[in-house]
Amino acid sequence: MGKGIAVSEILRPLKNNEQQFYLGNKLHTLGLLIWILEQTGKADVYVSTFSTSDAFLSGFHRLRKRNLINRAVLLADIKASRKTVILKKLMKNCFDSIYLGMNHSKVVLVKNDKWSVSSLSSQNQTYGGRAESTMITTSQLAFSELLIGYNEVVESSLRVDGILKTDTGEN
Protein backbone atom coordinates (compact mmCIF):
# COMPACT_ATOMS: atom_id res chain seq x y z
CA MET A 1 0.00 0.00 0.00
CA GLY A 2 2.88 2.31 -0.71
CA LYS A 3 2.21 5.98 -1.39
CA GLY A 4 -1.07 5.98 0.57
CA ILE A 5 -3.12 3.89 -1.86
CA ALA A 6 -5.54 1.40 -0.31
CA VAL A 7 -5.61 -2.17 -1.61
CA SER A 8 -9.30 -1.66 -2.44
CA GLU A 9 -8.24 1.01 -4.95
CA ILE A 10 -6.11 -1.57 -6.77
CA LEU A 11 -8.02 -4.85 -6.39
CA ARG A 12 -11.71 -5.69 -6.56
CA PRO A 13 -13.55 -7.51 -3.73
CA LEU A 14 -12.82 -11.24 -3.53
CA LYS A 15 -16.49 -12.20 -3.62
CA ASN A 16 -16.97 -11.96 -7.39
CA ASN A 17 -13.38 -11.97 -8.62
CA GLU A 18 -11.75 -15.40 -8.64
CA GLN A 19 -8.44 -14.18 -10.08
CA GLN A 20 -6.71 -10.82 -9.92
CA PHE A 21 -3.26 -9.66 -10.91
CA TYR A 22 -1.06 -6.69 -10.11
CA LEU A 23 2.43 -5.52 -10.99
CA GLY A 24 3.74 -2.35 -9.41
CA ASN A 25 4.99 -0.85 -6.16
CA LYS A 26 1.71 0.00 -4.45
CA LEU A 27 0.96 -3.35 -2.76
CA HIS A 28 2.78 -5.09 0.05
CA THR A 29 2.11 -8.46 1.62
CA LEU A 30 0.84 -7.21 4.97
CA GLY A 31 -1.60 -4.76 3.41
CA LEU A 32 -2.86 -7.49 1.10
CA LEU A 33 -3.30 -9.91 4.02
CA ILE A 34 -5.26 -7.30 5.99
CA TRP A 35 -7.50 -6.71 2.96
CA ILE A 36 -8.10 -10.46 2.57
CA LEU A 37 -8.90 -11.04 6.25
CA GLU A 38 -11.29 -8.09 6.33
CA GLN A 39 -13.31 -9.95 3.69
CA THR A 40 -12.93 -13.54 4.89
CA GLY A 41 -13.09 -13.02 8.62
CA LYS A 42 -11.02 -15.08 11.03
CA ALA A 43 -8.96 -17.71 9.23
CA ASP A 44 -5.91 -19.95 9.28
CA VAL A 45 -2.93 -18.31 7.59
CA TYR A 46 0.07 -20.02 6.00
CA VAL A 47 2.97 -17.77 4.98
CA SER A 48 6.04 -18.71 2.97
CA THR A 49 8.85 -16.26 2.34
CA PHE A 50 12.55 -16.04 1.77
CA SER A 51 12.87 -13.24 4.32
CA THR A 52 10.65 -11.42 6.79
CA SER A 53 10.92 -8.15 8.68
CA ASP A 54 10.07 -6.51 11.98
CA ALA A 55 7.46 -4.35 10.19
CA PHE A 56 5.65 -7.37 8.71
CA LEU A 57 5.76 -9.33 11.97
CA SER A 58 4.53 -6.35 14.01
CA GLY A 59 1.58 -5.93 11.66
CA PHE A 60 0.88 -9.66 11.70
CA HIS A 61 0.91 -9.59 15.50
CA ARG A 62 -1.68 -6.78 15.43
CA LEU A 63 -3.89 -8.98 13.23
CA ARG A 64 -3.64 -11.76 15.83
CA LYS A 65 -4.56 -9.30 18.57
CA ARG A 66 -7.60 -8.26 16.50
CA ASN A 67 -8.56 -11.96 16.49
CA LEU A 68 -8.48 -12.17 12.68
CA ILE A 69 -6.03 -15.08 12.62
CA ASN A 70 -6.83 -18.49 14.01
CA ARG A 71 -3.80 -20.69 13.31
CA ALA A 72 -0.65 -19.35 11.67
CA VAL A 73 2.34 -21.14 10.16
CA LEU A 74 5.52 -19.55 8.80
CA LEU A 75 7.92 -21.18 6.34
CA ALA A 76 11.08 -19.13 5.78
CA ASP A 77 14.32 -19.91 4.02
CA ILE A 78 17.11 -21.52 6.01
CA LYS A 79 19.53 -18.86 4.68
CA ALA A 80 17.47 -16.24 6.49
CA SER A 81 17.96 -18.03 9.82
CA ARG A 82 20.27 -15.37 11.27
CA LYS A 83 17.59 -12.73 10.75
CA THR A 84 14.95 -15.19 11.98
CA VAL A 85 16.74 -15.68 15.29
CA ILE A 86 16.96 -11.90 15.77
CA LEU A 87 13.18 -11.64 15.27
CA LYS A 88 12.39 -14.76 17.32
CA LYS A 89 10.31 -13.17 20.10
CA LEU A 90 8.05 -11.38 17.65
CA MET A 91 7.79 -14.47 15.45
CA LYS A 92 6.71 -16.60 18.41
CA ASN A 93 3.94 -14.07 19.13
CA CYS A 94 2.75 -14.33 15.53
CA PHE A 95 3.02 -17.96 14.49
CA ASP A 96 1.98 -21.26 16.02
CA SER A 97 4.64 -23.09 13.99
CA ILE A 98 7.82 -21.77 12.38
CA TYR A 99 9.87 -23.72 9.84
CA LEU A 100 13.19 -23.05 8.13
CA GLY A 101 13.84 -24.87 4.87
CA MET A 102 15.00 -24.56 1.31
CA ASN A 103 12.36 -22.02 0.39
CA HIS A 104 12.27 -19.09 -1.99
CA SER A 105 8.48 -19.02 -2.51
CA LYS A 106 6.38 -16.06 -1.44
CA VAL A 107 2.89 -17.39 -0.82
CA VAL A 108 0.12 -16.46 1.60
CA LEU A 109 -2.73 -18.95 2.01
CA VAL A 110 -5.88 -17.98 3.94
CA LYS A 111 -8.49 -20.60 4.82
CA ASN A 112 -11.69 -20.85 6.82
CA ASP A 113 -15.05 -22.62 6.36
CA LYS A 114 -16.15 -20.24 3.60
CA TRP A 115 -12.95 -19.10 1.91
CA SER A 116 -9.76 -20.46 0.35
CA VAL A 117 -7.61 -17.55 -0.80
CA SER A 118 -4.14 -17.82 -2.31
CA SER A 119 -1.73 -14.96 -2.92
CA LEU A 120 1.46 -15.50 -4.88
CA SER A 121 3.95 -12.67 -5.02
CA SER A 122 7.51 -11.87 -5.95
CA GLN A 123 7.72 -9.90 -2.69
CA ASN A 124 9.26 -11.05 0.57
CA GLN A 125 7.78 -9.70 3.79
CA THR A 126 10.13 -6.77 3.52
CA TYR A 127 9.57 -3.31 2.10
CA GLY A 128 11.95 -2.20 -0.61
CA GLY A 129 9.74 0.10 -2.66
CA ARG A 130 10.39 -1.92 -5.81
CA ALA A 131 7.80 -3.11 -8.30
CA GLU A 132 6.53 -6.57 -7.36
CA SER A 133 4.11 -8.96 -9.00
CA THR A 134 1.07 -10.35 -7.21
CA MET A 135 -1.61 -12.84 -8.16
CA ILE A 136 -4.56 -13.50 -5.89
CA THR A 137 -7.16 -16.20 -6.41
CA THR A 138 -10.10 -17.76 -4.59
CA SER A 139 -9.79 -20.98 -6.62
CA GLN A 140 -10.11 -24.02 -4.35
CA LEU A 141 -7.94 -26.00 -6.76
CA ALA A 142 -5.14 -23.41 -6.62
CA PHE A 143 -5.33 -23.31 -2.81
CA SER A 144 -5.23 -27.12 -2.52
CA GLU A 145 -2.26 -27.49 -4.90
CA LEU A 146 -0.31 -24.73 -3.17
CA LEU A 147 -1.03 -26.16 0.29
CA ILE A 148 0.19 -29.59 -0.85
CA GLY A 149 3.46 -28.02 -2.04
CA TYR A 150 3.73 -25.92 1.12
CA ASN A 151 3.33 -29.01 3.30
CA GLU A 152 5.91 -30.94 1.26
CA VAL A 153 8.49 -28.20 1.87
CA VAL A 154 7.52 -28.06 5.57
CA GLU A 155 8.05 -31.84 5.88
CA SER A 156 11.68 -31.45 4.82
CA SER A 157 12.26 -28.32 6.92
CA LEU A 158 13.45 -27.69 10.46
CA ARG A 159 10.74 -26.72 12.92
CA VAL A 160 12.29 -23.98 15.00
CA ASP A 161 9.52 -22.57 17.18
CA GLY A 162 10.31 -25.14 19.88
CA ILE A 163 14.02 -24.35 19.62
CA LEU A 164 13.65 -20.59 19.89
CA LYS A 165 13.54 -19.96 23.64
CA THR A 166 12.50 -16.35 23.97
CA ASP A 167 13.39 -14.93 27.37
CA THR A 168 15.91 -17.48 28.61
CA GLY A 169 18.76 -16.75 26.23
CA GLU A 170 18.77 -20.40 25.10
CA ASN A 171 19.00 -21.29 21.39
Side-chain angles (χ1 to χ4, degrees):
M1 291 180 355
K3 301 181 185 175
I5 295 178
V7 175
S8 60
E9 293 180 45
I10 298 169
L11 300 173
R12 299 169 309 280
L14 294 171
K15 185 177 178 182
N16 298 315
N17 298 283
E18 183 178 11
Q19 295 181 30
Q20 299 183 65
F21 311 93
Y22 176 77
L23 193 148
N25 66 352
K26 294 180 176 68
L27 283 181
H28 61 77
T29 306
L30 180 63
L32 185 61
L33 178 58
I34 293 167
W35 179 79
I36 292 168
L37 289 170
E38 287 173 346
Q39 294 174 76
T40 64
K42 188 174 184 176
D44 294 341
V45 177
Y46 304 85
V47 176
S48 77
T49 188
F50 179 79
S51 181
T52 193
S53 67
D54 187 359
F56 175 81
L57 294 171
S58 295
F60 198 95
H61 188 243
R62 285 190 297 276
L63 290 172
R64 287 214 86 154
K65 284 182 159 182
R66 288 176 51 195
N67 203 30
L68 287 172
I69 297 174
N70 185 35
R71 180 172 185 264
V73 181
L74 174 66
L75 169 62
D77 191 83
I78 194 82
K79 289 184 179 181
S81 61
R82 181 175 302 177
K83 186 175 187 179
T84 301
V85 170
I86 292 168
L87 298 171
K88 67 184 177 179
K89 184 174 182 177
L90 192 49
M91 291 175 75
K92 287 182 62 123
N93 289 331
C94 294
F95 295 96
D96 300 298
S97 300
I98 303 162
Y99 296 90
L100 295 178
M102 297 299 290
N103 180 63
H104 200 259
S105 67
K106 291 95 175 173
V107 175
V108 176
L109 304 172
V110 177
K111 174 83 171 149
N112 63 21
D113 292 342
K114 297 178 183 172
W115 291 92
S116 298
V117 182
S118 306
S119 170
L120 292 89
S121 177
S122 62
Q123 184 179 49
N124 290 300
Q125 278 78 57
T126 56
Y127 305 97
R130 294 185 170 128
E132 302 281 359
S133 59
T134 302
M135 187 208 75
I136 185 167
T137 181
T138 57
S139 161
Q140 178 61 49
L141 177 61
F143 181 91
S144 296
E145 293 291 326
L146 289 167
L147 186 59
I148 287 168
Y150 185 96
N151 286 331
E152 286 174 357
V153 177
V154 161
E155 286 176 17
S156 63
S157 298
L158 174 65
R159 184 172 179 172
V160 295
D161 48 297
I163 297 171
L164 300 176
K165 306 289 184 198
T166 304
D167 294 317
T168 64
E170 298 175 39
N171 285 318

